[in-house]
Amino acid sequence: MAKRIVVALGGNALGNTPEEQLDLVRHTAKTIVDLSEAGYEVIVGHGNGPQVGMINLAMEFSSTKGGNTPYMPFPECGAMSQGYIGYHLQQAIQKELKARHIDKECASVITQVVVDEKDPGFAKPTKPVGSFYTKEEADKIAAEKGFTFLEDAGRGYRRVVPSPIPQRIVELKVVEQLVKAGDIVITVGGGGIPVVETADGLKGVAAVIDKDRSSALLAQDIGADMLIILTAVDRVCINYNKPDQKELPTMNLAEAEQYIAEKQFAPGSMLPKVQSCMEFVKNNTNGGTALITSLQKAALALKGETGTIITK
């Protein structure tokens, strides 16, 4: 039986502009197809920071600066980014599959992820999105729309949104069906579109879910054998960028907890990646492991030649 892996793509696998992204995803597609060709069932998650920011800024600018376009809520911007990134990824993967004469399909799933409306993250929004405003402009918008603004490094005021913990992937069964059919599936883009459950059904909320946390939840719920988080470095390090920097070929949960207590991993960078891997490994009952490595070295890392393996 083929091993099932969930691959979480970092920002270096995508691009800040459509032109840059089209170029970068060609290389990303080669890595993904390498894994598929090696016999793995591959499910792909990805971030969307620059992309959703670009969409949000464009829609916001047009609606407030005379473009006569309607205001676009943040969840809808996230959905647009899933389509935009998914289109580029699946096109590049399809091209690579065809070049290797592999009879396999690739599809993107617009994915909603349920969050708890009582999540503590909603009480303290921290993720900046959208344009910079003067204090007067920010106060006016806050009064009109109820948004929260924070001063951003002396450059002005920006809207901030919460970053809640993912609870449930709405389209999980659809993803499962596609994987069972032998397809490469792209899902939980940008961590998923955040939604809350109401009496009338699901409702989108302005928030950003960490894509590594959503990928870990996906890996757990879909029964993956491994979670792979691809980033800019080949291996996790302690004492990073110091004279005594040390690469970690392996790390168990107890060691990871110790390194976190020592503040070895930077918040907003390596820390959430390690924590997401720990969450998957801790909750997996089938001996599942996690791997952090670079996009370029993914195939070698699966052979044990590089990367950091996280185990119980």
Side-chain angles (χ1 to χ4, degrees), residues 195-213:
V195 295
V196 294
E197 294 173 319
T198 74
D200 295 324
L202 298 175
K203 178 185 176 182
V205 292
V208 174
I209 304 174
D210 183 86
K211 57 94 178 168
D212 294 322
R213 286 189 180 277

Side-chain angles (χ1 to χ4, degrees), residues 168-218:
R168 179 172 68 85
I169 297 164
V170 177
E171 288 77 17
L172 182 69
K173 287 184 179 179
V174 177
V175 174
E176 178 79 49
Q177 289 165 5
L178 290 168
V179 173
K180 284 183 176 178
D183 302 330
I184 296 172
V185 187
I186 301 159
T187 182
V188 294
I193 304 161
V195 295
V196 294
E197 294 173 319
T198 74
D200 295 324
L202 298 175
K203 178 185 176 182
V205 292
V208 174
I209 304 174
D210 183 86
K211 57 94 178 168
D212 294 322
R213 286 189 180 277
S214 289
S215 295
L217 178 63
L218 171 67

